[in-house]
C-alpha cells in the first residue's frame, strides 16, 4: 500500500489498513507493507495507524521495524528489534525467546558480549532472576540451569525451553538463528492466546527483508505466519 504526503490520501490509506487489521481472521495472518518513495509519508502513516489502534485498551500491540538498519540481512537482529518494542507489562510472555537469545549469543561468541539488561529494554522476570544470580555476567547458560526449579518451573523448562536449546546446539551457528525465529513466533502466539492482544508488525523499508530463507521468502513473513499475527 502506497502512502502519500497529501493528508486526505494518507487518511484513505489509514482507513484501508484499519479495516484489514480489524478483520476477524482465523487460521491465517496478515502481512502488510507500507511502501512509497522517500518523503511520501509512509512513516507518518504508520505512526498514525499505531496511534489510532494502539491505545491502552487496544486489542493490538504494534511492533516497529526499520529493515534498512541491518535487520533485513540478520534476522536475529530483527527479532531483537521487535522484542525491544514489547512493553514491560508483557515481557513475561517472551521468557522463552529471551533465554534462547542469550544461549545462542553465548554459543556464537563464547561468552556474552553484553549482559541481558544491556540487551533487552525490558527484562522478562525469568531472565532478570537468572541474571541477578550470575556470578559471572559474561556467562548465562551455566547459571540458567541452576535456576531450574527456582526462577523457572521444571516442567516449563523441560517441555518448552529445553527442545529449543537443543535445537540451537544441533545446528551450526550460521543456521541456528532459525530457532530464534521459532522462539519469537511461539512467544507472540502465546501472548495472543493468553491476553487476546494481537502483535502487529509494521516494517519500514520492507524491500530489504527478502531472500534470507532458502525458499526466497523473507524471514519476517516466516515469523508472521508462524506466530499467526498481523
Amino acid at each position: 500500500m502506497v502512502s502519500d504526503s497529501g493528508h486526505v490520501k494518507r487518511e484513505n490509506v489509514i482507513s484501508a489498513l484499519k479495516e484489514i487489521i480489524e478483520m476477524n481472521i482465523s487460521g491465517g495472518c496478515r502481512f502488510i507493507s507500507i511502501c512509497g518513495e522517500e518523503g511520501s509519508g509512509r512513516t507518518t502513516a504508520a505512526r498514525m495507524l499505531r496511534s489510532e489502534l494502539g491505545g491502552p485498551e487496544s486489542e493490538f500491540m504494534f511492533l516497529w521495524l526499520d529493515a534498512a538498519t541491518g535487520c533485513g540481512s540478520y534476522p536475529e537482529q530483527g527479532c531483537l528489534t521487535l522484542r525491544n518494542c514489547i512493553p514491560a507489562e508483557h515481557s513475561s510472555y517472551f521468557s522463552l525467546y529471551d533465554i534462547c537469545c542469550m544461549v545462542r549469543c553465548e554459543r556464537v561468541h563464547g561468552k556474552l558480549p553484553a549482559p541481558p539488561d544491556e540487551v533487552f529494554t525490558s527484562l522478562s522476570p525469568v531472565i532478570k532472576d537468572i541474571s541477578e544470580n550470575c556470578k559471572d555476567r559474561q556467562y548465562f547458560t551455566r547459571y540458567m540451569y541452576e535456576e531450574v526449579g527456582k526462577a523457572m518451573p521444571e516442567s516449563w523448562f523441560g517441555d518448552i525451553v529445553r527442545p529449543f536449546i537443543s535445537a540451537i546446539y544441533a545446528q551450526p551457528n550460521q543456521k541456528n538463528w532459525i530457532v530464534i525465529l521459532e522462539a519469537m513466533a511461539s512467544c507472540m502466539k502465546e501472548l495472543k492466546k493468553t491476553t487476546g492482544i494481537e502483535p502487529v508488525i509494521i516494517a519500514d523499508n520492507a524491500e530489504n527483508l527478502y531472500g534470507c530463507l532458502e525458499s526466497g521468502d523473507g524471514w519476517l513473513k516466516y515469523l508472521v505466519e508462524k506466530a499467526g499475527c498481523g
Side-chain angles (χ1 to χ4, degrees):
M1 307 194 76
V2 182
S3 180
D4 190 274
S5 56
H7 179 76
V8 175
K9 289 186 178 180
R10 189 182 297 143
E11 288 286 354
N12 290 339
V13 170
I14 297 301
S15 296
L17 287 172
K18 285 177 64 176
E19 288 181 12
I20 293 171
I21 290 175
E22 290 176 337
M23 289 172 61
N24 185 8
I25 296 178
S26 60
C29 62
R30 285 157 285 201
F31 184 72
I32 302 168
S33 173
I34 302 176
C35 58
E37 298 297 326
E38 184 176 353
S40 63
R42 62 188 182 187
T43 301
T44 302
R47 286 174 180 162
M48 289 172 65
L49 183 66
R50 285 193 293 171
S51 67
E52 290 197 27
L53 290 177
E57 305 301 322
S58 175
E59 299 177 359
F60 305 101
M61 177 187 294
F62 286 86
L63 312 181
W64 181 261
L65 180 73
D66 183 354
T69 60
C71 301
S73 301
Y74 300 99
E76 59 269 42
Q77 183 60 43
C79 280
L80 182 58
T81 300
L82 296 175
R83 165 64 179 89
N84 282 333
C85 295
I86 304 298
E89 60 266 28
H90 295 301
S91 63
S92 60
Y93 292 99
F94 289 82
S95 298
L96 171 64
Y97 166 79
D98 294 354
I99 289 172
C100 290
C101 183
M102 290 293 95
V103 170
R104 181 185 184 276
C105 190
E106 186 175 322
R107 190 195 174 196
V108 169
H109 297 283
K111 59 184 179 181
L112 295 182
D117 56 3
E118 294 180 16
V119 175
F120 305 115
T121 55
S122 57
L123 289 177
S124 55
V126 168
I127 286 285
K128 186 174 184 293
D129 287 340
I130 296 172
S131 182
E132 288 178 349
N133 290 316
C134 281
K135 299 177 181 63
D136 186 340
R137 302 194 75 207
Q138 288 188 309
Y139 298 95
F140 175 85
T141 307
R142 68 184 70 172
Y143 300 108
M144 171 191 65
Y145 285 103
E146 294 178 4
E147 294 302 310
V148 176
K150 299 176 186 176
M152 67 181 89
E154 291 184 25
S155 58
W156 178 70
F157 182 81
D159 296 340
I160 305 298
V161 181
R162 188 184 290 277
F164 278 88
I165 293 176
S166 298
I168 289 173
Y169 282 92
Q171 292 285 346
N173 287 343
Q174 66 268 27
K175 289 188 176 181
N176 62 17
W177 54 263
I178 196 73
V179 183
I180 299 298
L181 286 183
E182 298 277 359
M184 176 60 91
S186 178
C187 293
M188 287 182 170
K189 187 178 292 185
E190 184 62 28
L191 172 73
K192 183 177 179 179
K193 176 183 175 183
T194 305
T195 68
I197 297 173
E198 179 177 351
V200 176
I201 300 172
I202 298 178
D204 201 357
N205 295 301
E207 62 273 13
N208 295 317
L209 287 166
Y210 294 93
C212 291
L213 300 176
E214 291 180 2
S215 62
D217 283 337
W219 64 266
L220 188 58
K221 181 173 181 287
Y222 179 88
L223 174 64
V224 167
E225 291 176 342
K226 283 284 185 179
C229 64

